[in-house]
């Protein structure tokens, strides 16, 4: 990088720049969005295929301890994944999204809405005790989140090109 970029930087960068400089060049909003939704899809599919089925097999008498341990272990990862998803989605939205980016963001909105409206409240109620019917609703909601996360990733791929 030459000195002109540094000197001209305040005039050439807005609050939502179309690109960010990194060690290997520039990162665009669609690339950041693809990275964030791919990370989210990997996280969500892992939860759907591995973590939640294992949690669902815990018998009623061990439920409270298992659910509490799961909640403690996953909280930081959820914060990072959803934080990156929020930042990348906001950046993509404010930099003039195309049709594929909008499709990606719609799928992200489905995943986040299901999380906020169904999964998080179910987890809150399950913390109080084992409820097989509520657990099945959580597993169904989780499958919807996983499908939405994968669809978001598939839509983000053509948005990069």
């Amino acid at each position: 990088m030459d000195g002109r970029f540094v000197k001209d930087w305040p005039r050439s960068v807005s609050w939502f720049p179309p690109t960010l400089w990194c060690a290997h060049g520039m990162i665009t909003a669609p690339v950041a969005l693809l990275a964030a939704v791919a990370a989210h899809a990997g996280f969500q599919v892992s939860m759907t295929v591995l973590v939640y089925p294992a949690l669902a097999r815990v018998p009623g008498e061990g439920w409270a301890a298992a659910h509490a341990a799961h909640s403690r272990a996953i909280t930081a990862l959820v914060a990072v994944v959803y934080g990156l998803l929020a930042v990348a989605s906001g950046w993509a939205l404010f930099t003039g999204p195309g049709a594929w980016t909008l499709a990606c963001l719609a799928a992200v909105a489905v995943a986040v809405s299901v999380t906020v409206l169904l999964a998080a409240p179910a987890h809150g109620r399950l913390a109080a005790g084992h409820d097989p019917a509520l657990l099945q609703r959580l597993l169904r909601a989780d499958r919807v989140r996983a499908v939405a996360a994968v669809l978001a990733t598939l839509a983000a791929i053509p948005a990069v090109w």
Side-chain angles (χ1 to χ4, degrees):
M1 205 163 35
D2 63 7
R4 287 178 292 159
F5 174 77
V6 175
K7 184 179 76 162
D8 294 339
W9 182 79
R11 289 189 302 270
S12 64
V13 177
S14 69
W15 285 104
F16 290 98
T19 58
L20 290 178
W21 288 93
C22 70
H24 302 291
M26 293 184 289
I27 298 175
T28 63
V31 169
L33 183 62
L34 175 57
V37 296
H40 178 240
F43 165 78
Q44 196 59 60
V45 169
S46 296
M47 295 298 293
T48 302
V49 173
L50 300 172
V51 177
Y52 279 2
L55 189 60
R57 288 191 295 272
V58 173
E61 61 274 3
W63 176 258
H67 188 268
H70 163 75
S71 296
R72 280 191 308 275
I74 202 72
T75 299
L77 184 57
V78 168
V80 169
V81 169
Y82 277 84
L84 291 172
L85 193 60
V87 169
S89 295
W91 185 19
L93 186 62
F94 288 108
T95 56
W100 283 110
T101 300
L102 290 174
C104 172
L105 293 174
V108 168
V110 169
V112 170
S113 296
V114 170
T115 299
V116 170
L117 298 173
L118 300 173
H123 268 295
R125 289 192 300 275
L126 285 166
H130 190 263
D131 179 343
L134 185 57
L135 183 57
Q136 288 308 309
R137 283 197 301 267
L138 174 63
L139 293 172
R140 282 192 301 273
D142 190 62
R143 286 186 213 98
V144 172
R145 292 191 296 175
V147 168
V150 170
L151 289 175
T153 303
L154 293 174
I157 293 168
V160 171
W161 282 272

